Amino acid sequence: MDIVPWKYANPYIDTRTCTKREMTFCGELVVIEQSPSEDIDLKHNTGHILWDASYVLTRYLELHVGKVYFAGKKCLELGAGTGLPGIVAGMLGASVILTDVSEALPLLHKNCDMAKARANAHIPPTKLDIKVQHYRWGTRPCGGDASTSKNSTTIVDVESDSVPGNRGSAGTAPCDPTVASMGHHIPDACMSTPHLLDTAFDVILCSEGIYDCAFHPALLKSFKILCGKNTVVYIAYKERALGEDTFVEHLTTSPAYNVEEISGEFLDPDFQDSRIKLLKMRRAR
């Protein structure tokens, strides 16, 4: 009997209903638990399953960024959901903070703890420096930003936090406040714990977080607050004609950022001809 090669995009499995996803990264088994729900869609409970763009970003980080780059780097994942990109960044040697809104944190904690336990079971044990943190887009940890942290580099101000066609401004709730990026509820009473985020990061990861125009201003505000002048931001998304093009156009035409699209030839072969895109962004010098 022939052995069928493993493929992430298996047409015979409805991955949205699986309670866990098993993959290999860095030569190690990575298990991501999901919390399937019939209410999962682009407006509800999206942090409960692994989305394709997150997988594509993670595979790119493993194959084309790698351990030499990530070793010793400070990495932040925004809207981490199930946490795959950030967990693998930790396996590659980065010190990682996974962030999301409060109701996404239990599953995020669980996946983080499982990854740490597997690493600790190695001979010799391996320690993963990965933490989980609540963070609401557009807020300033401890009232400061990357430019005020004693361990950070100076950030360059962004001319405007607004995106054409959006309502409201960064840091406000431009639409129903019970709906957040990727459908998560954002309780107004929830505040970020300052000590973990009050620093500049070498790398920021954001996958499947730009489809909703209503939350572009808050995400831009977070970039402004959290990016240092040397920070590299990776943004992965699927083109759904729901507003992603507005966000990308704003970034690419802004004098504050240098943005490049990663060529499809560097993406996982299963997705080279898909609608999934990967951007690499830095502050303009």
Side-chain angles (χ1 to χ4, degrees), residues 186-203:
I186 299 181
D188 288 337
C190 289
M191 299 301 293
S192 303
T193 301
H195 67 284
L196 293 182
L197 300 184
D198 190 19
T199 186
F201 293 90
D202 300 299
V203 183

Side-chain angles (χ1 to χ4, degrees), residues 259-279:
V259 183
E260 63 176 295
E261 180 178 337
I262 303 299
S263 173
E265 66 182 297
F266 295 107
L267 304 185
D268 183 277
D270 285 350
F271 295 94
Q272 289 182 354
D273 297 320
S274 72
R275 292 177 290 153
I276 292 178
K277 305 295 181 184
L278 179 57
L279 304 179

Side-chain angles (χ1 to χ4, degrees), residues 33-267:
E33 292 220 2
Q34 302 188 134
S35 181
S37 166
E38 60 184 18
D39 295 328
I40 292 178
D41 55 35
L42 289 178
K43 291 291 184 182
H44 303 91
N45 303 317
T46 54
H48 294 175
I49 61 173
L50 174 65
W51 294 83
D52 292 347
S54 295
Y55 169 82
V56 172
L57 170 59
T58 307
R59 191 63 76 187
Y60 175 84
L61 297 177
E62 176 201 26
L63 297 179
H64 301 290
V65 182
K67 290 186 176 181
V68 173
Y69 176 81
F70 270 109
K73 292 291 194 298
K74 295 179 180 179
C75 178
L76 171 71
E77 184 172 5
L78 295 173
T82 56
L84 178 64
I87 288 171
V88 173
M91 294 170 63
L92 290 168
S95 174
V96 181
I97 300 175
L98 307 173
T99 67
D100 213 314
V101 293
S102 56
E103 56 272 27
L105 297 188
L107 185 59
L108 191 53
H109 271 292
K110 187 172 185 179
N111 284 328
C112 180
D113 290 344
M114 286 194 303
K116 289 180 176 180
R118 286 192 300 273
N120 194 52
H122 290 172
I123 302 176
T126 302
K127 182 179 179 180
L128 296 184
D129 185 4
I130 307 175
K131 299 178 178 64
V132 174
Q133 170 67 57
H134 173 273
Y135 176 64
R136 184 175 66 182
W137 290 1
T139 60
R140 292 182 178 272
C142 200
D145 56 33
S147 65
T148 61
S149 171
K150 64 181 180 180
N151 298 320
S152 69
T153 54
T154 302
I155 65 170
V156 181
D157 196 14
V158 179
E159 280 191 0
S160 173
D161 298 317
S162 63
V163 179
N166 287 346
R167 295 170 290 160
S169 59
T172 65
C175 64
D176 183 349
T178 62
V179 180
S181 168
M182 293 307 297
H184 300 323
H185 173 58
I186 299 181
D188 288 337
C190 289
M191 299 301 293
S192 303
T193 301
H195 67 284
L196 293 182
L197 300 184
D198 190 19
T199 186
F201 293 90
D202 300 299
V203 183
I204 294 179
L205 309 175
C206 181
S207 61
E208 290 289 29
I210 70 170
Y211 83 93
D212 191 340
C213 285
F215 290 90
H216 291 173
L219 181 56
L220 287 171
K221 185 70 172 179
S222 287
F223 288 154
K224 175 181 175 181
I225 293 167
L226 299 169
C227 289
K229 66 180 181 181
N230 296 315
T231 303
V232 178
V233 182
Y234 289 98
I235 301 171
Y237 66 99
K238 183 176 182 178
E239 292 180 323
R240 298 185 177 89
L242 295 175
E244 305 90 350
D245 56 339
T246 304
F247 188 85
V248 173
E249 181 181 4
H250 179 79
L251 289 181
T252 55
T253 58
S254 169
Y257 297 110
N258 292 324
V259 183
E260 63 176 295
E261 180 178 337
I262 303 299
S263 173
E265 66 182 297
F266 295 107
L267 304 185

